[in-house]
Amino acid sequence: MDISSKMSQIIDHMGELSAVAQKLSKPVTSSQKLRMVENQTVYVMADINGCDGDVVIGLLKVGAKNLYLFDNVGDTRKVDQAPCILDFYIHETRQRTGLGKRIFDFMLAEENWIPVKCTVDRPSEKLLKFLKKYYGLETIIPQTNKFVLYEGFFEKDGTKDNNADVTTVCLERGSNEMWVVSAYMPHGDVVDPPPAILGEITAEARRRGVGVIIGADANAHHSIWGSSDTNTRGSK
């Protein structure tokens, strides 16, 4: 079997597993569908030379779509080439091991996207929890279609440079630019650090080709650096 046929077989199989996991009547992802559309990319994660040999363990399909969406005040906006998460699946035997975040972060870097600027097509409850846990996405802007988007989607550049705990300043010298970020991470935060805004800032800086220096108080305690106790953040 040639490489193209093998990849088609893998994509079809993973698409079927994803549909079963999401309790869909038919797969969202298949090799045939990919051949019929433009502006869609499938990321596949594999465990090479693992205990079970070479095994495909994850799939993430993304693309760009022209969408009509409601903004925060209920006005309709036409968004051209909106970043879309179309299908996402990690095999049940490998979930809750950080692999989902690894492939998602890889995709964000490859596409030059930031999480808050992504729309999500018919997300499962697991995916909604994933986006909240790792990227702090929680406040949904209601839509009449099946896409989900979050507060901050319509903001310029998709990122707030500052909030109560994070401040960003831009240093310029001639044509050179550097961002310096000060970040405080409260010990009572529900979402584990780093906060989503830091990911948004670094993703935007990467997109622009700008260097970033981050100084942070993460409230990570460990006896190694002189703390009187060791907390969960410090032990990670």
Side-chain angles (χ1 to χ4, degrees):
M1 183 181 295
D2 60 31
I3 294 177
S4 178
S5 298
K6 184 63 175 178
M7 282 304 303
S8 295
Q9 186 181 68
I10 290 171
I11 289 170
D12 289 343
H13 180 61
M14 294 301 288
E16 290 170 0
L17 291 178
S18 178
V20 171
Q22 298 180 67
K23 299 180 180 179
L24 302 177
S25 59
K26 58 184 179 180
V28 174
T29 301
S30 70
S31 57
Q32 182 179 9
K33 288 181 179 180
L34 286 172
R35 295 187 188 100
M36 298 171 60
V37 297
E38 297 179 354
N39 299 327
Q40 289 190 6
T41 303
V42 171
Y43 294 86
V44 175
M45 175 177 278
D47 184 3
I48 306 300
N49 298 322
C51 297
D52 300 319
D54 299 345
V55 181
V56 178
I57 56 178
L59 173 145
L60 173 57
K61 183 172 77 169
V62 301
K65 290 179 175 288
N66 298 329
L67 300 173
Y68 286 93
L69 301 169
F70 290 120
D71 63 16
N72 303 61
V73 297
D75 292 334
T76 302
R77 297 200 196 182
K78 183 177 185 293
V79 181
D80 294 325
Q81 298 300 290
C84 300
I85 310 302
L86 302 171
D87 198 5
F88 188 24
Y89 173 72
I90 300 295
H91 195 275
E92 283 75 7
T93 60
R94 303 301 182 92
Q95 292 179 9
R96 299 184 179 180
T97 59
L99 295 176
K101 187 172 189 300
R102 186 181 300 179
I103 189 174
F104 204 91
D105 284 346
F106 181 84
M107 177 278 296
L108 292 173
E110 288 293 307
E111 301 291 336
N112 281 326
W113 289 356
I114 54 178
V116 76
K117 289 290 289 181
C118 295
T119 63
V120 191
D121 187 12
R122 294 172 292 185
S124 64
E125 286 299 318
K126 279 188 177 181
L127 181 50
L128 292 175
K129 291 178 180 178
F130 171 88
L131 294 172
K132 178 181 178 180
K133 177 179 180 180
Y134 289 113
Y135 304 104
L137 300 179
E138 184 173 8
T139 305
I140 293 173
I141 302 174
Q143 305 295 313
T144 56
N145 54 28
K146 296 180 179 180
F147 282 88
V148 166
L149 61 151
Y150 292 88
E151 186 175 307
F153 179 86
F154 291 102
E155 292 176 10
K156 186 178 180 181
D157 293 331
T159 179
K160 298 176 180 177
D161 291 339
N162 302 291
N163 65 17
D165 297 316
V166 179
T167 300
T168 305
V169 296
C170 176
L171 304 180
E172 296 180 347
R173 183 175 182 180
S175 60
N176 296 319
E177 183 177 337
M178 173 74 70
W179 291 359
V180 180
V181 183
S182 172
Y184 175 71
M185 305 173 197
H187 60 79
D189 273 1
V190 175
V191 179
D192 289 337
I197 188 174
L198 276 185
E200 295 168 11
I201 290 170
T202 54
E204 181 65 16
R206 188 185 304 114
R207 186 181 71 82
R208 299 187 185 191
V210 176
V212 181
I213 297 174
I214 300 175
D217 178 356
N219 275 297
H221 302 173
H222 202 290
S223 57
I224 290 177
W225 49 80
S227 300
S228 60
D229 66 321
T230 299
N231 62 10
T232 302
R233 293 186 186 184
S235 61
K236 287 185 177 180

